[in-house]
Amino acid sequence: MKLVFLGAPGAGKGTQAEILGKKLGIPAISTGNILREAIKNGTETGAKAKSYIDAGQLVPDDIVVAALKDRMAEPDCKAGYILDGFPRNIAQAETLEKLGVKIDLAVSFELADDVIERRMTGRRVCSGCGSTYHIEHNPPASEGVCDKCKGGLSQRADDAPATVRERLAVFHEVTEPIKGFYEKAGILKLVVVQEGVDATSKTMFDVLGLN
Ligand code: AMP
């Protein structure tokens, strides 16, 4: 089963991708996490991506596609995967087709911009394993510490208010039209984001017929 998760930054699709991935026994692949990891490790990909990410802009397609191809070639991807944050524009959706990747379902997480702006300021990310939390909606058991790897939690630089607004503008302009691409293919499902992670998961399972 191959799925893509669409939605504005901060809509919670990363958290839901991890939850659904566990239920289906397939990995959730976040291109944002791959790029941030590359920056942390000081790789060539990371060096190329950093300025775009810091400015809230999309990283050029060739860089992201190369990183994603490497990840999709790993053995745990054989039974399928959830792509979280890819595709981000129509060209990337077409690239998946050209690569022979047949997407079974596209799931779009729907949430109003003003709610997103508030949510993003509360987001915290583990510097160790990349897991995401929210100080209100999905807090770690111990403040500032990752439940999974005990790494330190911090706010991403691109979750700063001005960058968040830029990322939302980019989302509406170039990412949102992808919904039409998958709607035409007859595989688009909409999940209205609820208050709280569990309620949203339940809605997602309902929409996907998994309850
Ligand atoms: P995310 O964690 O998915 O919000 O991604 C963080 C940042 O990484 C984005 O604001 C982009 O700069 C970059 N990024 C992640 N995925 C992609 C993609 N598919 N195409 C281009 N840039 C991406």
Side-chain angles (χ1 to χ4, degrees):
M1 183 100 170
K2 292 175 183 158
L3 299 101
V4 299
F5 273 20
L6 309 170
K13 61 187 188 315
T15 303
Q16 297 301 330
E18 283 180 29
I19 291 169
L20 184 62
K22 262 193 207 118
K23 193 173 173 96
L24 297 177
I26 55 178
I29 300 175
S30 155
T31 44
N33 279 353
I34 291 174
L35 296 170
R36 280 186 291 276
E37 189 71 10
I39 293 171
K40 211 170 89 185
N41 294 335
T43 68
E44 200 181 317
T45 299
K48 285 184 196 156
K50 188 174 186 321
S51 61
Y52 297 97
I53 293 182
D54 287 350
Q57 295 286 335
L58 292 186
V59 173
D61 292 348
D62 56 335
I63 298 171
V64 185
V65 169
L68 180 65
K69 268 167 80 175
D70 286 348
R71 178 66 187 89
M72 289 194 304
E74 287 176 28
D76 64 334
C77 289
K78 281 220 172 72
Y81 38 74
I82 300 169
L83 298 184
D84 159 26
F86 191 100
R88 275 296 226 284
N89 57 34
I90 298 279
Q92 291 182 3
E94 288 170 349
T95 297
L96 284 178
E97 289 192 332
K98 280 182 206 138
L99 291 173
V101 174
K102 196 189 161 298
I103 298 300
D104 299 293
L105 278 180
V107 184
S108 175
F109 290 82
E110 307 282 319
L111 190 62
D113 282 8
D114 58 334
V115 184
I116 285 174
E117 284 189 38
R118 285 201 301 275
R119 285 170 67 130
M120 283 171 94
T121 56
R123 185 152 75 169
R124 299 291 180 270
V125 184
C126 174
S127 55
C129 69
S131 295
T132 54
Y133 297 85
H134 192 281
I135 52 174
E136 285 166 46
H137 307 296
N138 180 29
S142 166
E143 198 186 318
V145 181
C146 178
D147 292 346
K148 292 178 193 155
C149 77
K150 306 292 172 213
L153 305 182
S154 56
Q155 187 176 46
R156 271 165 44 180
D158 61 347
D159 281 344
T163 316
V164 167
R165 279 192 290 277
E166 173 63 17
R167 293 169 72 197
L168 282 171
V170 170
F171 168 73
H172 289 303
E173 198 184 325
V174 303
T175 304
E176 212 166 17
I178 303 177
K179 280 163 64 179
F181 180 92
Y182 288 117
E183 192 172 23
K184 260 189 225 145
I187 57 169
L188 180 70
K189 303 269 183 196
L190 302 185
V191 171
V192 176
V193 175
Q194 311 291 314
E195 276 282 328
V197 172
D198 291 349
T200 302
S201 297
K202 188 181 175 307
T203 305
M204 170 175 72
F205 294 150
D206 281 344
V207 166
L208 298 178
L210 291 172
N211 266 333

